[in-house]
Amino acid sequence: MTITHTGPEPPGDCPPGGSGFRNHEEIGRFAHPLTRMLLASDGFTTPALAAILRTDLHVRVLRQDDIAAGGLPNTVTDALGVSDSDRVIVRRSCLVNADLVTASVNYVVAVRAGAAASGMDDVQVPIGTGLISRGVSQRRHLLRTGVVRWPDGRLCAARAYVMTLGDRPLCYIREAFNPDVIPPEYAPTAGDDPSWADEPQPALPGSFAVTSHLFAAHEFLDSEYRRAAAETLPELVGVGECDRLTADLAKAARGEGFVLHLGGHHNTSDGGGTKTVAARRALVYAAAAVMTHGLGAGTVTIERAPRRYYDGLRAAASRDEWPADRLPITLCVNILRRAADRSRDPAQRDLLRAVSGLLPVTATAPPGASELHNWLPLLRISREPTASRAAAPTGRTPDGRRWDRSAHLLWLGDRTHARRLTQVAAHVGNPVAVTLGPATTPDDIEFLCRTLNPRKQPGRLTLIPQLGVAATSDTLPALFAAAAACATPICWVCDPMPPTRMPHGRSDLRVDDVVDVIRAFFRTCRATGTVPGGLHLEFSPDAIFGSRGAGGADVLPAEHRRRRDPGLDPVETLHCVVAALELRANWAPR
């Protein structure tokens, strides 16, 4: 996806500082006329970059926060003329083309009142496009041009300016341009500093949006300590959270989002260890970031809670070693970079590297920020009940509905959705997901629809076929038809993992076979006009902590992986996510 100056070069050389922008000397230090032309232009940046790339550009708002202006450096507050008590919107975004090439990374600080009035707080529309559509007349005052660091560490061309409406400053904007698109060659002078000192001091990394006690509770599943722990814990999952997940699943079923249901095997011996919890969480967020960046739409991220931890007390006691409600950002970035290094596809490699660079920008909030938008989706938890715990911790709301408070999504695996457990799930308000094995018949679909979603509520029922390549093509259309005959809205999620496994490992698991099932699922959806709602993957984070081999590379012996890893490794997981992303981005019914 690397771009090398596909746009037309300007006729002759644009005079440095033309189009009304000053700071001629700074712009003149750039060697390439294309760079000088872009930095000197006082028109909207999005159309200029689109002309250079000869393609449309779309905005990806990574995060948007509401903060007090007192948290900003004087560079910005003086330019905007705001006081410490004024409220401002801090927006971090990027512009991408259809191939997900990131053309620019943008940092915007807007006066809150003016931003709302001019529509600049709309995360779906580039700032320039929004102003043009409203017929708003604006002027720009260039503050500085020079070089900053691109997310991967390279120097890149950048400029900062203030946009004004009439005589009132509206926003401060710093634009950094992809060095593969806009040549950054620059003649520095003494005292030049790539750091522009225009951002607030970062706060701690963003929260997982799932509280620590939810995961602490799962440390005790299927143990003698579980009941005592549940009695002392606060409500784990609120009714409103479950309702919001139901609404998000309904959107995915309509094609307005995509579900990632990810998790490790429930018998992993160290599944509750602090180190493994961090690895599992990092991989979930890395996969969600890739999907969100690619689709530009809502990604519904659900983590499967391990069913059994053999050393729950040790894991719970070591919770302070790594806060469970914090994002292990360094580990996320390392996973993405390793996956990029191992990818043979240049487009996939560039995508993973781009996301690894943008992720730290997204995860860091300004101090005292009220989050308005975050590129990282909310993390939800699914739980698979067992026969011994059919009566899960439940609560009754004033309207008489019962809720399972231990997870957002109640998940019945192919081996656990016996009729008794299905009846249990039918009496709670949580959304329910059911895995469909090779033996599933259209009659089973009718039973599930009638039992689990008799009111035909969108988002209430998710079905996850795990059939293999042949059955996906041959059997799945009949299952789609059975659900359609019941007129029950279903969110269909693909499980491409093999329906049967070797008893002691994953020697029969090939990532190419998994991708083949994903492709068969999308083909079948397209042929039947069914919306592909999401992807379920089973992974093992053990490979993240492999031993060091030659050249410092991470190595996990094959025999060790076969003995302990019943799922995909992190690189294989991301490879499958990218494959699903490409198919979903190009999906359309016949």
Side-chain angles (χ1 to χ4, degrees):
M1 294 193 302
T2 299
I3 299 295
T4 54
H5 321 316
T6 59
E9 294 192 3
D13 191 5
C14 180
S19 301
F21 269 178
R22 298 181 180 179
N23 292 22
H24 299 184
E25 182 180 351
E26 288 183 0
I27 295 177
R29 295 178 192 171
F30 286 90
H32 202 285
L34 179 67
T35 308
R36 296 197 296 269
M37 178 189 69
L38 182 62
L39 295 177
S41 171
D42 61 357
F44 290 113
T45 305
T46 302
L49 282 175
I52 291 171
L53 290 171
R54 296 180 180 175
T55 184
D56 292 334
L57 291 175
H58 308 280
V59 67
R60 296 283 188 270
V61 175
L62 307 176
R63 107 171 268 135
Q64 188 160 292
D65 295 284
D66 182 336
I67 70 171
L72 296 168
N74 293 338
T75 306
V76 180
T77 56
D78 291 347
L80 293 177
V82 293
S83 64
D84 289 352
S85 60
D86 288 332
R87 305 299 297 184
V88 295
I89 291 177
V90 176
R91 170 171 171 166
R92 302 176 189 276
S93 64
C94 60
L95 291 174
V96 299
N97 69 2
D99 294 325
L100 300 182
V101 175
T102 302
S104 69
V105 174
N106 310 310
Y107 165 66
V108 180
V109 180
V111 181
R112 181 171 178 82
S118 60
M120 289 182 58
D121 55 352
D122 187 348
V123 299
Q124 304 297 327
V125 180
I127 292 174
T129 303
L131 293 176
I132 292 173
S133 66
R134 289 173 171 82
V136 176
S137 175
Q138 55 80 38
R139 297 180 61 190
R140 302 183 181 200
H141 173 62
L142 184 66
L143 300 176
R144 178 177 178 181
T145 61
V147 291
V148 295
R149 296 289 177 184
W150 189 246
D152 62 10
R154 293 179 293 165
L155 291 176
C156 63
R159 66 176 181 176
Y161 55 89
V162 172
M163 183 181 294
T164 61
L165 297 181
D167 58 352
R168 293 184 306 165
L170 175 63
C171 61
Y172 170 94
I173 300 179
R174 170 164 47 83
E175 300 166 334
F177 302 105
N178 188 338
D180 290 329
V181 177
I182 304 301
E185 288 74 18
Y186 180 74
T189 61
D192 276 350
D193 182 5
S195 174
W196 288 23
D198 58 357
E199 299 191 37
Q201 291 294 321
L204 290 173
S207 169
F208 280 127
V210 176
T211 53
S212 302
H213 58 253
L214 176 57
F215 297 103
H218 286 292
E219 303 292 350
F220 299 96
L221 290 180
D222 294 331
S223 77
E224 59 183 299
Y225 306 99
R226 175 65 180 90
R227 185 178 301 277
E231 292 174 355
T232 60
L233 288 169
E235 181 174 302
L236 304 179
V237 174
V239 173
E241 297 175 82
C242 295
D243 278 339
R244 284 190 291 272
L245 175 58
T246 300
D248 289 343
L249 291 171
K251 290 180 180 179
R254 296 194 299 266
E256 300 171 8
F258 196 79
V259 178
L260 283 180
H261 186 223
L262 307 171
H265 196 266
H266 62 269
N267 286 327
T268 300
S269 60
D270 62 348
T274 300
K275 193 175 183 181
T276 305
V277 170
R280 189 173 65 240
R281 204 66 33 74
L283 181 52
V284 168
Y285 268 92
V290 170
M291 184 62 68
T292 303
H293 181 63
L295 289 182
T299 301
V300 185
T301 308
I302 307 172
E303 180 185 356
R304 170 187 172 183
R307 188 203 299 175
R308 182 178 298 125
Y309 291 150
Y310 292 109
D311 199 6
L313 287 180
R314 178 193 62 77
S318 64
R319 187 61 53 187
D320 290 340
E321 297 175 14
W322 177 74
D325 62 344
R326 295 298 175 188
L327 176 62
I329 187 64
T330 301
L331 195 51
C332 284
V333 172
N334 288 342
I335 290 171
L336 288 162
R337 288 178 177 172
R338 292 174 192 177
D341 292 342
R342 283 178 50 183
S343 176
R344 298 179 181 178
D345 182 353
Q348 182 181 117
R349 182 168 58 247
D350 288 351
L351 170 62
L352 293 171
R353 286 176 178 169
V355 174
S356 71
L358 296 172
L359 197 56
V361 177
T362 307
T364 305
S370 173
E371 183 181 293
L372 302 176
H373 175 82
N374 199 327
W375 185 49
L376 291 175
L378 293 172
L379 178 63
R380 278 69 173 257
I381 298 299
S382 71
R383 179 180 59 80
E384 182 180 15
T386 61
S388 61
R389 296 189 64 255
T394 57
R396 188 183 296 272
T397 54
D399 61 3
R401 292 186 297 172
R402 297 186 65 86
W403 298 85
D404 187 315
R405 296 178 296 120
S406 66
H408 302 89
L409 175 73
L410 195 60
W411 175 47
L412 304 178
D414 182 40
R415 292 177 296 278
T416 61
H417 71 264
R419 297 215 168 196
R420 183 165 69 89
L421 290 179
T422 303
Q423 293 291 346
V424 170
H427 289 88
V428 295
N430 306 59
V432 180
V434 183
T435 296
L436 311 176
T440 303
T441 66
D443 289 340
D444 295 326
I445 300 297
E446 181 182 352
F447 167 77
L448 293 172
C449 291
R450 185 178 64 252
T451 304
L452 294 176
N453 195 10
R455 299 179 181 178
K456 306 184 189 305
Q457 178 186 5
R460 158 69 176 175
L461 181 58
T462 297
L463 297 182
I464 310 176
Q466 184 186 27
L467 306 175
V469 174
T472 295
S473 300
D474 299 338
T475 306
L476 191 54
L479 304 185
F480 286 161
C486 295
T488 301
I490 302 292
C491 180
W492 291 96
V493 172
C494 171
D495 184 349
M497 307 300 288
T500 58
R501 310 276 172 78
M502 298 292 287
H504 297 293
R506 45 160 286 160
S507 57
D508 63 332
L509 180 60
R510 296 176 62 252
V511 67
D512 289 344
D513 295 337
V514 176
V515 172
D516 286 343
V517 179
I518 296 173
R519 290 172 178 156
F521 175 77
F522 275 86
R523 281 198 307 270
T524 305
C525 286
R526 183 171 182 267
T528 59
T530 304
V531 175
L535 178 68
H536 167 89
L537 292 174
E538 186 174 293
F539 63 76
S540 172
D542 293 337
I544 299 174
F545 301 109
S547 59
R548 291 286 177 179
D554 288 328
V555 176
L556 195 67
E559 61 273 13
H560 177 69
R561 291 180 61 193
R562 292 193 185 100
R563 185 171 62 252
R564 294 192 56 193
D565 293 356
L568 301 165
D569 69 26
V571 174
E572 293 168 338
T573 301
L574 291 175
H575 178 73
C576 293
V577 169
V578 173
L581 166 62
E582 294 172 347
L583 292 164
R584 178 62 181 82
N586 297 317
W587 177 84
R590 285 182 179 175

